Amino acid sequence: SNTDKSDLGLTIRDTEPTPRGKINDVPYVKLTAMGGGDIRVRVTVEEDQTKSSMHDLADAVECRYILVPKGEMPPEGQKNAKTTVVSKKALFIISCGDEQAGETFWGFFRWVNQSNPANSGQWSNSIKVVIA
């Protein structure tokens, strides 16, 4: 019991999650077309743009995206981007399929607090890359 642990001078483990505040930042995103329809996504926080990093208040990064054929208009916002990817890593791959080569990937990104979604960050502006 916790009383026994305390009497023995052992550390009592905190079982309550620490509340995290509202995320006010958007991720910095670098997209790289890798060929075969794969896109490497690297997200960073503002203070550390030299390496992949997650926001201190985030559990994950969410991407909503749409693939647009060459010559067609880009989406007006993340609401029109129907495909969603959530990653708990700051460096990850989105596989669009090699049959999508030549289309434009338009993505919108935000930091996500999965334990309290109301504290998730705002969406980024659209970020694009041509699929190779």
Side-chain angles (χ1 to χ4, degrees):
S1 74
N2 284 342
T3 304
D4 294 335
K5 289 178 185 177
S6 179
D7 290 344
L8 294 170
L10 300 173
T11 302
I12 299 171
R13 190 172 145 226
D14 181 9
T15 58
E16 290 293 318
T18 303
R20 290 177 286 156
K22 176 88 173 133
I23 301 170
N24 295 317
D25 305 319
V26 296
Y28 286 82
V29 181
K30 180 179 179 186
L31 301 177
T32 305
M34 299 176 52
D38 289 346
I39 298 169
R40 181 175 55 218
V41 180
R42 174 175 289 186
V43 295
T44 64
V45 292
E46 181 178 4
E47 298 82 28
D48 188 9
Q49 296 180 36
T50 60
K51 64 179 182 173
S52 304
S53 55
M54 293 294 285
H55 194 283
D56 290 342
L57 299 176
D59 301 309
V61 63
E62 179 179 7
C63 169
R64 287 190 186 166
Y65 71 90
I66 188 167
L67 304 179
V68 178
K70 186 176 182 177
E72 289 191 20
M73 295 298 293
E76 293 185 19
Q78 84 279 351
K79 292 178 184 174
N80 294 324
K82 302 297 182 192
T83 306
T84 302
V85 173
V86 176
S87 175
K88 292 187 175 195
K89 297 185 178 187
L91 179 62
F92 59 98
I93 304 291
I94 296 177
S95 296
C96 299
D98 58 359
E99 66 276 1
Q100 308 301 331
E103 293 188 5
T104 304
F105 172 99
W106 290 88
F108 303 86
F109 295 82
R110 71 175 180 161
W111 298 117
V112 177
N113 178 327
Q114 293 178 318
S115 59
N116 185 355
N119 285 344
S120 294
Q122 298 296 313
W123 289 101
S124 70
N125 291 327
S126 62
I127 301 168
K128 71 175 185 169
V129 68
V130 176
I131 300 170

